[in-house]
Amino acid sequence: MAEAVRLADREGVGELSMRRLAASLGAGAMSLYYYVASKEELLDAMIDVVFEEIELPPEETDWQSAMRRRAISARQVLARHPWAIGLMESRTSPGPANLRHREAVTACLRKAGFPVLMATHANWLLDSYVYGFALQEASLPFGTADELADMTEDVFLPQLPPDEFPYLNESAAVLAAAGYDPAEEFTFGLDLVLAALEALRVPT
């Protein structure tokens, strides 16, 4: 399974096939069917590997800190495995790590005082935020704040003449000068989401 994940990390899940995996392992394609019955079963197992890497919300802290750590961990894991973003919620035969993760998240929210329906709302909101940010981050044409600053000066600002786009020009120039890092947006938004959810729980 580790080799399948490495292939997907390197080439994308669209390039993954039983034949491609078998070749990478130096085995016959048919021999893989002894371990997994289909590509769908293979994907189930691969997604389970991804869930296994995500830190469970710790029990020894308050719910916001626990869910914050879990969300930050999930974002880091998805940065390593961007192919998994669109598959995290698609599996109809979840593996043991997947189920343990979901049980731990639900338990954290329920023990914090969220009724079942509100815990479900909170879970959907947090996952949507994490997956959406991870997807957007994976598609950015730069990887660091320094690369963004260089692109702003060489690519973006020339497309934003101040007489036509005064606010965009100003924002680009100020953010580049300040060393703005879009990666910091994740915790900014996450903390807003957690603060909003706090008002919806019933304290225990």
Side-chain angles (χ1 to χ4, degrees):
M1 203 53 57
E3 182 60 23
V5 171
R6 280 193 290 269
L7 276 174
D9 289 345
R10 186 169 64 247
E11 301 176 10
V13 75
E15 299 300 315
L16 181 66
S17 66
M18 300 294 273
R19 185 179 299 278
R20 177 71 182 85
L21 177 58
S24 181
L25 292 170
M30 294 306 297
S31 65
L32 294 183
Y33 289 99
Y34 178 80
Y35 301 98
V36 290
S38 64
K39 184 177 178 180
E40 286 302 306
E41 190 171 309
L42 176 64
L43 291 174
D44 286 339
M46 292 168 64
I47 290 299
D48 216 47
V49 170
V50 175
F51 271 106
E52 185 70 46
E53 294 182 17
I54 300 174
E55 180 181 358
L56 298 179
E59 298 181 0
E60 68 277 5
T61 186
D62 64 278
W63 81 271
Q64 287 194 56
S65 298
M67 296 304 290
R68 191 177 195 272
R69 282 176 56 177
R70 174 258 180 180
I72 290 172
S73 175
R75 176 211 178 184
Q76 293 169 342
V77 170
L78 292 174
R80 294 196 297 269
H81 310 298
W83 56 268
I85 298 171
L87 296 174
M88 297 293 280
E89 301 301 318
S90 71
R91 313 322 300 162
T92 57
S93 298
N98 188 331
L99 292 174
R100 280 195 302 271
H101 185 91
R102 296 179 188 281
E103 174 70 13
V105 169
T106 303
C108 177
L109 294 170
R110 292 286 291 114
K111 290 176 181 178
F114 288 94
V116 170
L117 184 57
M118 192 56 65
T120 303
H121 290 330
N123 196 356
W124 271 92
L125 177 58
L126 286 163
D127 281 353
S128 296
Y129 178 73
V130 172
Y131 298 153
F133 193 97
L135 182 62
Q136 184 177 39
E137 193 168 40
S139 68
L140 292 174
F142 50 84
T144 66
D146 288 340
E147 290 179 4
L148 172 60
D150 290 341
M151 288 194 70
T152 298
E153 182 177 349
D154 299 335
V155 179
F156 299 141
L157 275 174
Q159 300 179 65
L160 302 172
D163 57 334
E164 188 174 358
F165 304 105
Y167 292 102
L168 290 177
N169 181 283
E170 176 191 40
S171 295
V174 170
L175 292 175
Y180 170 73
D181 186 354
E184 297 176 0
E185 295 292 350
F186 182 76
T187 51
F188 175 81
L190 177 61
D191 288 342
L192 288 179
V193 171
L194 292 171
L197 289 172
E198 170 64 19
L200 302 177
R201 76 184 182 96
V202 180
T204 56

